[in-house]
Amino acid sequence: MIKEIRIRNFAIIENLAVNFEKGLNVLTGETGAGKSIIIDALNLLLGGRADTDSIRSGETTAFVDGVFEVTDPKTLDLIRESGIEMEECELLVKRQISNSGKNRCLLNDSPVTVSTLAKIGDRLVDLHGQHDHQALLHPETHIDLLDLYGKSGDIRDEFSRNFSDYLAQAKKLHSMKMDEQERLQKEEFLSFQLSEIDEAGLSEQEEEEIKAESNKLKHAEKIRAGLQQSQHLLTDEQGSILENLGQVLKELESVLEIDSGLAETVERSRSAYYELEEVVESLRSYDRSLEFNPNRLEEIEDRLAEINGLKRKYGNDILEILKRRDLIAEELQQLASNEENMKVLQEALRQKEEVLSKLAIRLAEKRESAAKKFTGSVEKELKELSMGNVRFGVRFDYPPDPDGFILFRKEKMKATPTGLGTLEFLFSPNPGEELRPLVKIASGGEVSRVMLALKSILNDQDTIPVMIFDEVDTGIGGSVAEKVGIKLQKVATTKQVLCITHLPQIAGLASSHYRIEKEIKGKRTRSSIRQLEYEERVEELARMSSGETITDASLEHAREMLRPGLTPSGG
């Protein structure tokens, strides 16, 4: 419930604070006193749009604060999920509008976005302003009201969740089908690339090895000349290296007999001689094996050209090419599984269609069953509001869909996020007139009473704890007004109700009565509000009945309007 509202520098309100009570709270006052301004401030507090035009003239900032008592578990969960700490189930809401554009929105002194506040505000207060109750004239709201009455919310939510999933999966499948040709082309291209790399039979060391072989073949004559010259110097000429080294060895060996200290030197000389002999043999062997093969050189050049071609396409070296090859193979495997994925998705969609069909049919039948009781309940409530000749109905419309998957009454029907088809409230205000859409024929007073009738019927199902009616008495008067007041009283047994009214018959039924007054001081207009005591209520009801001239008769009539249970000590 709303416990307290504080308003500063908002429109013609300079500084106003009011505590509201449980039950039916009425707000009265002369036209222009600021009654609707309070509703506008409340709307701002619940997440409504901030407008700098609402800032009081001469001021730069407007403030609206409110204290709410919150007991609904779902609302408390929503508040905590928004990161707001709660103590003793009290929620302090603050809105600040500034000409500088620095608007603030706080919940228990923690900053939140306006969208978060609006989401929470929708669960705190059901506000029906002078134009808000006209929402009844939008047929799309009718299905919400019937589902609330028929307690179809759980089935509808389940259907909506599944339908949303179904649409997402169907979109994905459509995209996969549209991409199938592209997939086939890409698969063909990747297969060619993979074959090209695999057929090359690359190995990591091959390039370096064949480059070395190519270099050897290209310079075979130069290598042979070097080999032959080396052999010539080592062995062929008189006084060759090997011959001279042999002579040195003989001289040292003859001296060794005299001086054994040369033994190591002699041994090293001998080893050098034998080593040179092996070098000579190796040079001869290598020379014999060396062969210039133009065909082999051509093969190598062709192979290097092939490798360089692959490098231009797939990487800077063979290692990169082989890594690219593995990536291509992996992508091919993924593409190959696409067809299987499509089959899996198609089967999932088929199963989802079965679930949705059952839910949609169950929901449609539940709504039709609820509609029969609903129309009777609404007509009963309207009769109690002096609309005894009114007839009320619900029309269901199920557009066919030849491509649809929900078979309802032997015909495929179109599905929407809320189930099958649409529905609309019908209305006949006078005997003999056929039922026609409520949105086309109901007057303002009739719409107000229909809304009140609906709220009376849905009172137990609706978990929103506060209801605000701004001029629900539009277009009515006399005995009807008292019946409207009784309905408001009924709603107020389980909810806190705030009602702005011009009718004394409604004001007289309130448990708490507030008067909004306007005064001019120093060429400035100010609005104020105060809760009335018993005698003040009598005077206010008398004023509402007879105008500014209050007579003894109007005072007596006002006392009669107040219920016997309301004693002079009551407020």
Side-chain angles (χ1 to χ4, degrees), residues 466-508:
V466 181
M467 296 184 109
I468 300 176
F469 291 94
D470 186 3
E471 306 212 12
V472 71
D473 51 19
T474 300
I476 63 173
S479 61
V480 177
E482 184 176 1
K483 292 177 180 179
V484 168
I486 292 172
K487 287 295 176 190
L488 290 170
Q489 265 192 332
K490 177 183 175 183
V491 174
T493 58
T494 57
K495 300 183 186 299
Q496 183 189 43
V497 176
L498 275 61
C499 177
I500 289 180
T501 183
H502 292 291
L503 299 178
Q505 296 94 328
I506 293 177

Side-chain angles (χ1 to χ4, degrees), residues 405-424:
F405 58 86
I406 300 177
L407 188 64
F408 184 56
R409 293 171 183 162
K410 300 182 179 180
E411 189 173 3
K412 288 184 177 180
M413 299 296 183
K414 181 178 178 61
T416 72
T418 57
L420 278 181
T422 59
L423 64 87
E424 184 173 6

